[in-house]
Amino acid sequence: MGTTLTGVPVSPGRAAGVVVTMPAPVPEPPEATVSEADVDAAVERLRAATAAVRERLETLAAGATGTAADVLAVTAAMAADPTLASDAERRVRDGLHAPERAAWDAANAIAAQLEPLGPPLSERARDVRDVRDRIVAELTGVRPPGVPSPGHPFVLVAEDLAPADTATLDPAVVVAVVTSGGGPTSHTAILARALGIPAVVAVRGAEDLAEGETVVVDGGAGRVLRDPSADEVEAATNAVRVEREFDGHGRTADGHRVELLANVADPEAAQAAVAAHAEGVGLFRTEFCFLGRDTEPSVAEQVAAYRGVLGAFGGRKVVVRTLDAGADKPLPFVTADDEPNPALGVRGLRTAAAHPEVLDRQLEAIAAAAAAESADVWVMAPMVATTHEARSFVDACARHGLSRAGAMVEVPAAALRSRWIFEHAAFGSIGTNDLTQYAMAADRMLGDLAALSTTWQPAVLELVRATCEGAAQHGRPVGVCGEAAADAVLAPVLVGLGVRSLSMTPRALADVAAVLAEVSFARCRELAALALAEPDADAARATVRRELADILDALAL
């Protein structure tokens, strides 16, 4: 009888394989110094190493698409961070530290500042340390961080994965991922889902898994089986993830329409969404043309960038989110770098208070791109918290001829006051990642808090219901564009709460559609009531999985 370890299910599917653990991290360099005569040469070595790391990450980002490209671009931007570079150089010049030691200490100082700030900014501490290790490896000639390549398929086990490592996973080689840390909305979870790799995070006992032992991973149930029998290994090996196709029409078994849309971050991701037959785009992240710049892109540059996505969805709905700067996406032309708690600071729509011209130019660009293409363009603002903010944004959109203006519901205040928000907003889109972290006060990167950091929390489901009920009073549609939309088991619950569209990574569309097609709308409402009646997230998830067991088994989910 094997031993079962349990964790948080984040990416469905079953797989069996031998354990391969992430290699030991790059060792901390000694407290070495350089002579005054060698300072200039040491600084040049530091600059060259930093540039090499940045170029490598940028090359990886250029070859990736969608979420992976976005994550790699953020990590590359960390490598180019002038704060890190200038502090490291100062340590070489003023303290005569060896360049590898200077890079190590400068990165640690930045990470220490980020960690107490809460998500999403605290998540950037992992990126900073990843960049640190890569720079030190470049300077010292040791093996840089990265996923092992044992020459055969394997189950990757780690405390957690740096975003840059997760973004480069090959599903043909890494058959499953198991981590002792992280949560359901961590980068590891998001990217594993996007790649279709079964994954379980926050697994208690994962650190005891030994290199070379065989395990069976059930990403849908959140279980890792040690010492499995030959039959259990064979069953998991044969349970090849079913490659379903979405027919482009989301609906329940009795024909209740549920729009199934895709989240996209750039034109390449839009093409992947088209290939997956997405009905449209429920979240178009526009940050891709702002990130990594010291100045705002021109209106013409923005128009060209937006048309690359709108052009892929002629005649179909595309929901464009205006710039979501701040917190983990600081931009020098709209955000300050000295906020004591950026996660609760000037981010999203709030940046328009001090820089209304940036929002105005973006709306001008969106309107021009919409006029040049045939997509049905809707526009929404992130981080709306008050009725005044919703009304001001709708008015700003109207001045540019954008009639479909909505609000993202990420702040509990907006959910609780949705009746008044939707007097003005034409639609709503629930960002479950932020809504969950703000409602539960839980850092999504901490494995110890993973049970809190999930939309399955009944308190979060209550906020979803409140949002939909407030919107329904004005006949406004509400969708979900957070990671919860990709959970095929949660999908019927969200529909039962009143959600009318789900926007997700394209890979999840077929699974979500398949589950919805097996349940009636009335059954969705029953499942929602059952989930709300449970005391916690684990019980809610277990109850719904039990109610859907026959369907999930038949679909191998």
Side-chain angles (χ1 to χ4, degrees):
M1 180 72 70
T3 303
T4 300
L5 307 179
T6 59
V8 177
V10 295
S11 184
R14 291 190 286 272
V18 296
V19 167
V20 172
T21 57
M22 284 292 286
V26 172
E28 179 178 351
E31 294 278 2
T33 59
V34 296
S35 67
E36 291 188 8
D38 292 332
V39 163
D40 288 342
V43 167
E44 284 306 313
R45 285 184 58 222
L46 178 62
R47 290 176 177 173
T50 302
V53 168
R54 183 182 68 250
E55 290 169 8
R56 229 171 264 131
L57 289 168
E58 289 173 344
T59 299
L60 287 172
T65 61
T67 304
D70 192 31
V71 167
L72 287 165
V74 170
T75 307
M78 285 288 180
D81 183 5
T83 303
L84 174 60
S86 62
D87 188 25
E89 289 187 20
R90 179 188 62 77
R91 292 170 187 269
V92 174
R93 293 192 183 280
D94 297 347
L96 299 181
H97 294 295
E100 58 271 21
R101 187 70 217 186
W104 185 274
D105 291 341
N108 283 352
I110 294 174
Q113 292 173 351
L114 293 171
E115 284 176 326
L117 301 179
L121 203 67
S122 57
E123 299 165 21
R124 299 281 74 82
R126 182 62 191 259
D127 293 313
V128 172
R129 290 197 174 96
D130 181 41
V131 168
R132 174 201 69 188
D133 291 351
R134 292 172 188 273
I135 293 173
V136 170
E138 183 74 20
L139 286 164
T140 59
V142 303
R143 183 183 180 277
V147 177
S149 300
H152 58 76
F154 61 93
V155 173
L156 181 62
V157 176
E159 177 183 352
D160 199 6
L161 297 176
D165 289 332
T166 314
T168 57
L169 293 180
D170 181 356
V173 177
V174 180
V175 298
V177 173
V178 176
T179 67
S180 58
T185 56
S186 64
H187 284 304
T188 298
I190 292 169
L191 288 165
R193 213 160 21 237
L195 293 167
I197 300 174
V200 186
V201 302
V203 177
R204 295 190 180 277
E207 62 277 5
D208 297 327
L209 293 172
E211 188 91 11
E213 74 168 287
T214 298
V215 295
V216 169
V217 179
D218 187 334
R223 293 193 293 262
V224 180
L225 178 62
R226 302 184 73 177
D227 303 316
S229 67
D231 288 344
E232 288 167 328
V233 170
E234 182 179 6
T237 302
N238 292 336
V240 178
R241 186 171 175 81
V242 178
E243 291 298 329
R244 280 177 274 271
E245 278 204 11
F246 174 44
D247 67 5
H249 299 282
R251 56 201 176 278
T252 61
D254 55 343
H256 178 79
R257 282 284 290 122
V258 182
E259 283 185 300
L260 298 184
L261 312 166
N263 296 340
V264 306
D266 52 41
E268 290 77 16
Q271 293 301 323
V274 170
H277 303 133
E279 297 186 56
V281 173
L283 171 61
F284 172 20
R285 302 180 178 97
T286 57
E287 291 77 39
F288 77 102
C289 60
F290 289 83
L291 290 175
R293 298 178 60 120
D294 295 325
T295 59
E296 174 192 356
S298 68
V299 170
E301 289 176 304
Q302 292 185 57
V303 170
Y306 304 154
R307 289 188 65 182
V309 171
L310 302 186
F313 285 92
R316 285 180 282 176
K317 175 179 174 181
V318 176
V319 181
V320 183
R321 183 181 70 186
T322 55
L323 182 61
D324 190 16
D328 62 335
K329 296 186 284 288
L331 293 172
F333 45 90
V334 289
T335 57
D337 58 5
D338 58 353
E339 287 185 339
N341 191 347
L344 299 178
V346 180
R347 55 174 299 202
L349 182 61
R350 298 171 182 180
T351 61
H355 301 280
E357 72 286 353
V358 175
L359 175 62
D360 189 64
R361 284 190 286 267
Q362 183 174 30
L363 293 177
E364 179 186 348
I366 293 170
E373 302 292 344
S374 61
D376 179 17
V377 176
W378 299 27
V379 187
M380 64 182 180
M383 287 296 289
V384 172
T386 69
T387 303
H388 171 73
E389 289 173 342
R391 183 174 61 247
S392 297
F393 179 72
V394 171
D395 289 346
C397 289
R399 289 194 294 272
H400 290 279
L402 297 166
S403 59
R404 287 280 196 173
M408 287 199 70
V409 178
E410 303 160 282
V411 181
L416 295 172
R417 300 289 289 180
S418 62
R419 171 184 168 187
W420 291 269
I421 295 285
F422 291 110
E423 284 182 351
H424 309 283
F427 68 95
S429 187
I430 301 174
T432 50
N433 299 3
D434 274 328
L435 183 63
T436 299
Q437 73 166 357
Y438 289 135
M440 304 307 297
D443 186 334
R444 68 186 188 181
M445 296 300 290
L446 292 180
D448 290 343
L449 300 181
L452 295 176
S453 302
T454 170
T455 306
W456 280 102
Q457 281 291 345
V460 179
L461 296 178
E462 288 281 13
L463 291 172
V464 174
R465 179 170 69 175
T467 301
C468 294
E469 288 179 349
Q473 293 186 38
H474 303 283
R476 311 295 201 191
V478 172
V480 168
C481 64
E483 286 303 308
D487 186 338
V489 182
L490 184 58
V493 174
L494 296 175
V495 171
L497 293 172
V499 170
R500 289 165 57 177
S501 66
L502 299 168
S503 188
M504 65 203 76
T505 177
R507 186 180 285 272
L509 287 165
D511 286 344
V512 171
V515 172
L516 288 176
E518 295 295 327
V519 294
S520 67
F521 180 56
R523 182 61 170 153
C524 288
R525 299 185 71 171
E526 291 173 1
L527 293 171
L530 288 171
L532 285 170
E534 294 295 347
D536 55 44
D538 288 343
R541 183 190 295 110
T543 294
V544 175
R545 284 194 68 88
R546 186 168 56 250
E547 293 289 324
L548 295 175
D550 290 344
I551 294 171
L552 298 178
D553 286 343
L555 296 173
L557 291 173

